[in-house]
């Protein structure tokens, strides 16, 4: 993977999470800052890298694999305790 | 510092995020987290934010963060974003080290389609608890 492709993936991942952390929407200034940075890197990518990133982006829209049930329940803990607040099923 | 944020659901259907703040005190690290943090060395629980009272609730998602006691929240946030970028769409659960922080993430399948939203909610719950503790007059969580 080239540095440009790595940078693009990192920026895109950062943008998608920061949007969620901000409640679903970034300010216009933040959005345009990300857009500008993404655009700069986009033109450094090869055609194959662009296609790979577009394909990945489609994949990330799909659910990621996760267990149906984590198999854990919470536990009461008191201040001063070193105990964990959850335990796993045996 | 060890932060645990977990979404739980009670048998009666109450759903919410509980957060727990542990500190390591003078033994806190300044560089890479020691190998024994957070397991078995979680530190000492200094405060918690409980929406759905334990025990016995099903854990639906969790975000565990180990970081130096005095790590600025911005540092933790940045490290978490890097952690997410590195793990992206890989199958859950995820765990790893990013800069001075260690992260562990797990979600049940029902929450996976909106994983970014869920992790943002868990992160916010931890941020709110830590900033609340740091805003106390002593600058530290109550003991």
């Amino acid at each position: 993977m080239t540095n440009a492709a790595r940078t693009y993936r990192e920026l895109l991942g950062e943008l998608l999470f920061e949007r969620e952390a901000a409640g679903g929407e970034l300010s216009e200034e933040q959005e345009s800052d990300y857009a500008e940075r993404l655009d700069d890197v986009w033109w450094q990518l090869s055609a194959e890298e662009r296609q790979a990133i577009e394909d990945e982006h489609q994949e990330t829209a799909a659910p990621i694999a996760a267990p149906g049930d984590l198999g854990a329940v919470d536990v009461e803990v008191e201040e001063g305790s070193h105990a964990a607040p959850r335990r796993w099923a045996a | 510092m060890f932060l645990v944020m977990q979404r739980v659901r009670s048998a009666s259907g109450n759903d919410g995020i509980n957060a727990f703040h542990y500190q390591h005190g003078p033994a806190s690290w300044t560089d890479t987290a020691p190998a024994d943090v957070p397991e078995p060395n979680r530190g000492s629980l200094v405060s918690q934010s409980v929406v759905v009272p334990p025990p016995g609730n099903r854990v639906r998602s969790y975000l565990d963060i180990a970081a130096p006691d005095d790590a600025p929240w911005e540092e933790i946030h940045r490290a978490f974003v890097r952690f997410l970028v590195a793990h992206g769409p890989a199958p859950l659960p995820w765990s790893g080290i990013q800069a001075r922080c260690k992260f562990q993430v797990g979600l049940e399948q029902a929450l996976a389609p909106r994983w970014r939203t869920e992790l943002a909610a868990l992160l916010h719950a931890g941020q709110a608890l830590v900033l609340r503790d740091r805003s106390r007059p002593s600058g530290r969580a109550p003991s």
Side-chain angles (χ1 to χ4, degrees), chain A residues 9-18 20-23 56 59-88, chain B residues 4 6 8 18 20 22 42-48 54-62 64 77 80-82 84-85 89 91-92 94 107-109 112-113 115-117 119-120 123-124:
Chain A
R9 286 185 174 94
E10 287 173 357
L11 270 174
L12 186 59
E14 190 179 310
L15 166 63
L16 294 173
F17 181 74
E18 294 289 12
E20 293 300 331
E56 284 167 16
E59 282 175 22
T60 57
I64 52 177
D69 186 334
L70 295 180
V73 294
D74 67 358
V75 174
E76 197 167 0
V77 284
E78 292 182 359
E79 291 181 12
S81 167
H82 303 285
R86 67 172 172 265
R87 64 178 168 77
W88 302 92
Chain B
V4 176
Q6 51 194 21
V8 298
N18 295 338
F20 304 85
Y22 298 75
R42 297 181 196 92
S44 177
L45 184 71
V46 292
S47 70
Q48 53 189 307
N57 304 304
R58 180 164 61 88
V59 177
R60 304 186 64 208
S61 66
Y62 62 86
D64 299 345
H77 181 105
F80 186 57
V81 172
R82 294 283 171 204
L84 290 183
V85 167
L92 289 156
W94 303 332
L107 275 72
E108 67 178 22
Q109 185 61 57
W115 61 273
R116 289 190 185 90
T117 308
L119 294 180
L123 188 67
H124 276 308

